[in-house]
Amino acid sequence: MQTHEAAERLGISARRLRHYEKAGLLEIARDANGYRRFSPSDLRRAGRIRDLIATGFSTREIQAMAPCLSDEGAGPCEAGLADLTHKLEQIDRLLEELQQRRASTLARIEHFRDSLSPHPETESPGHESANDPAVSDRLSGRQ
């Protein structure tokens, strides 16, 4: 199967498949005419790479997990388990940081809303009332 067919089957672009190869994650056989020829095993490996990237792994991190990407290593892979666990810890830290940022942003929004809301017992600071004679003169063109 050629690159465009493999890409279509995997739901990714042909460019992405070439990137995987350039990054050293895939070694694709070539036909006599130089076209890449994807085997079923290559497709499975590319699918694993696609899935790892979707979960936040960089190509460098995936390269370190290379033994876990082949059909032989796709089952239980001790090194892969450690890498996945480490990635989950990173994701958890990021989630916590994002929750803190979200809470800070919500607090800032609430502060802005409170300071922008007119208070019924007083006029808004810096704003003149339409009932103020100076304002009504300007509105009507009189001075």
Side-chain angles (χ1 to χ4, degrees):
M1 161 179 330
Q2 291 183 345
T3 304
H4 69 280
E5 296 167 310
E8 188 175 304
R9 189 170 286 181
L10 291 165
I12 59 176
S13 68
R15 183 176 178 208
R16 181 159 300 198
L17 278 175
R18 289 188 295 272
H19 173 70
Y20 295 170
E21 184 180 23
K22 186 176 180 181
L25 300 174
L26 289 172
E27 291 181 30
I28 306 301
R30 304 257 180 169
D31 287 339
N33 61 6
Y35 290 157
R36 291 170 181 86
R37 179 63 55 189
F38 285 80
S39 69
S41 177
D42 294 330
L43 282 179
R44 288 188 294 274
R45 183 179 179 98
R48 292 178 192 115
I49 293 166
R50 176 205 56 207
D51 294 347
L52 287 170
I53 287 174
T55 59
F57 282 84
S58 68
T59 54
R60 186 176 300 148
E61 291 170 321
I62 295 170
Q63 183 65 42
M65 296 176 65
C68 301
L69 298 174
S70 67
D71 283 349
E72 298 80 37
C77 182
E78 195 170 321
L81 180 60
D83 290 336
L84 288 167
T85 301
H86 179 71
K87 181 55 74 178
L88 183 60
E89 291 167 356
Q90 288 178 331
I91 291 169
D92 287 342
R93 277 193 304 276
L94 288 171
L95 279 171
E96 186 176 326
E97 289 173 18
L98 286 172
Q99 287 294 346
Q100 290 171 359
R101 288 181 188 178
R102 184 178 191 281
S104 294
T105 302
L106 283 172
R108 178 68 55 174
I109 288 170
E110 194 61 34
H111 173 75
F112 280 12
R113 281 186 180 145
D114 287 347
S115 63
L116 293 174
S117 297
H119 299 287
E121 63 276 352
T122 62
E123 292 282 330
S124 297
H127 291 66
E128 299 177 55
S129 167
N131 296 330
D132 182 350
V135 172
S136 56
D137 285 346
R138 282 187 300 225
L139 292 175
S140 66
R142 294 178 266 153
Q143 290 187 344

